[in-house]
Amino acid sequence: QYLIAHVRSAAHGLTFKDCSTMVYYSIDYSFEAHDQADERIRNKDQTKNCLYIYLVCKNTIDGIILKALEKKQSANDLVAEIVRSL
């Protein structure tokens, strides 16, 4: 029912089809590892909306990393959109 794992531990080879909420208590700077971890609950068998919760304290490195990941996500989406339009 519950899993506590580091992002990189849960990033590859696991699928949680009965899970729809993920809580991040620590954030990895790698966009790929973060995206793969998100995919563990956001998959083709998922029937519920997914909820991602980030536990981030003010003025910490995690806040800075989360902002950097959001920028990487935007850049990744832009590249994917360009590739799709080719």
Side-chain angles (χ1 to χ4, degrees):
Q1 185 176 6
Y2 302 100
L3 171 69
I4 297 173
H6 188 273
V7 170
R8 290 193 183 251
S9 299
H12 297 283
L14 301 171
T15 299
F16 304 108
K17 68 178 185 170
D18 295 325
C19 176
S20 61
T21 302
M22 181 176 286
V23 178
Y24 287 94
Y25 63 89
S26 181
I27 303 171
D28 191 291
Y29 186 72
S30 167
F31 174 74
E32 177 190 6
H34 187 267
D35 191 51
Q36 286 292 321
D38 282 356
E39 286 291 325
R40 298 310 92 197
I41 67 170
R42 184 183 66 231
N43 57 65
K44 63 181 173 65
D45 296 324
Q46 183 58 266
T47 59
K48 302 175 188 173
N49 290 328
C50 297
L51 174 64
Y52 300 93
I53 300 170
Y54 295 88
L55 302 178
V56 179
C57 294
K58 288 183 181 180
N59 302 319
T60 63
I61 190 69
D62 280 346
I64 295 168
I65 293 171
L66 186 56
K67 287 180 185 176
L69 286 174
E70 289 168 352
K71 288 180 184 176
K72 289 180 182 184
Q73 174 69 47
S74 297
N76 190 54
D77 290 344
L78 178 62
V79 170
E81 187 177 324
I82 291 170
V83 169
R84 282 192 298 268
S85 70
L86 297 178

